[in-house]
């Protein structure tokens, strides 16, 4: 099984390729249009709401819209699964210690791709490319349990100063609703 097989693109991306451009070309062109109307908001790098949100990179999650956030309100840290890894702890530490955040919101979601993966993904990758990845897949079978594990990783990190407002949620990709996870269940 090749793990690098290309996936079909949605129809909206088809026109980019018919016109001879790449997706990156489209993004750069969009930025050019954006910059023509851009006005420096004069913001500091410190989030207004003093919150960092850790979430999955899934393209279906529009975090700012789902949480009622505006530009400058929060730090957003995203990765596959929204898992609290060493690099997430690194980013949260910088967010808290250098940029003043006090709260951490963790968001996993229904239909996550990590629900269907195992560490075999890593072994298959090693077999394909001849090098063992230095990172873990961090796959999981139980969303609630993994959110609890992520909350625990934040709460027990010696590098983080603010651990009293750490809350975890599962976002339903079909309803748009958040379901809070009890850390003690």
């Amino acid at each position: 099984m090749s793990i690098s097989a290309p996936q079909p693109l949605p129809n909206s991306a088809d026109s980019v390729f018919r016109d001879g451009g790449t997706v990156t070309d489209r993004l750069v062109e969009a930025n050019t249009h954006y910059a023509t109307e851009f006005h420096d908001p004069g913001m500091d790098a410190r989030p207004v709401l003093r919150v960092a949100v850790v979430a999955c990179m899934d393209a279906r999650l529009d975090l700012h819209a789902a949480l009622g956030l505006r530009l400058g309100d929060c730090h957003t840290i995203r990765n596959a699964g929204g898992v609290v890894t060493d690099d997430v702890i690194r980013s949260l530490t910088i967010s808290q210690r250098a940029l003043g955040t006090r709260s951490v919101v963790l968001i996993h979601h229904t239909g996550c791709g990590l629900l269907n993966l195992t560490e075999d993904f890593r072994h298959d990758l090693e077999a394909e490319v001849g090098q063992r990845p230095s990172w873990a897949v961090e796959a999981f079978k139980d969303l609630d349990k993994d959110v609890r594990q992520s909350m625990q990783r934040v709460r027990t990190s010696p590098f983080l100063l603010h651990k009293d407002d750490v809350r975890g949620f599962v976002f339903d990709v079909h309803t748009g609703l958040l379901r809070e996870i009890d850390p003690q269940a």
Side-chain angles (χ1 to χ4, degrees):
M1 166 184 105
S2 173
I3 55 177
S4 59
Q7 299 297 313
L9 293 168
N11 291 336
S12 63
D14 289 344
S15 65
V16 172
F17 298 104
R18 277 196 303 269
D19 298 337
T22 66
V23 172
T24 304
D25 292 333
R26 179 177 160 259
L27 299 177
V28 171
E29 182 180 339
N31 174 258
T32 301
H33 294 295
Y34 170 79
T36 63
E37 296 183 22
F38 180 78
H39 300 285
D40 180 357
M43 294 179 174
D44 188 283
R46 297 172 183 270
V48 173
L49 298 179
R50 299 170 73 169
V51 62
V53 178
V54 178
C56 185
M57 66 186 192
D58 192 294
R60 296 172 289 180
L61 277 65
D62 183 349
L63 293 174
H64 277 74
L67 301 174
L69 296 168
R70 296 178 304 176
L71 181 68
D73 281 348
C74 72
H75 283 157
T76 306
I77 304 161
R78 295 181 80 156
N79 67 20
V83 177
V84 175
T85 61
D86 286 345
D87 194 59
V88 169
I89 293 295
R90 171 190 160 273
S91 293
L92 287 172
T93 301
I94 293 166
S95 178
Q96 285 190 358
R97 290 180 177 264
L99 297 166
T101 59
R102 299 290 182 264
S103 300
V104 178
V105 174
L106 305 169
I107 301 177
H108 283 31
H109 67 91
T110 59
C112 184
L114 286 188
L115 288 165
N116 300 317
L117 287 179
T118 66
E119 286 298 317
D120 287 341
F121 178 86
R122 209 167 150 233
H123 302 299
D124 293 345
L125 187 58
E126 179 180 8
E128 182 179 321
V129 303
Q131 182 177 341
R132 184 175 186 83
S134 61
W135 38 264
V137 174
E138 296 276 355
F140 47 85
K141 296 289 181 199
D142 183 323
L143 283 169
D144 293 18
K145 184 177 177 183
D146 200 69
V147 171
R148 282 187 200 95
Q149 178 177 301
S150 290
M151 285 190 278
Q152 187 64 18
R153 285 179 176 174
V154 170
R155 288 189 172 124
T156 59
S157 172
F159 306 109
L160 299 175
L161 297 171
H162 306 286
K163 305 174 195 180
D164 55 324
D165 189 14
V166 177
R167 294 171 65 185
F169 301 85
V170 172
F171 177 86
D172 188 312
V173 297
H174 299 293
T175 67
L177 291 173
L178 289 175
R179 177 175 55 83
E180 187 157 9
I181 303 302
D182 180 351
Q184 305 305 322

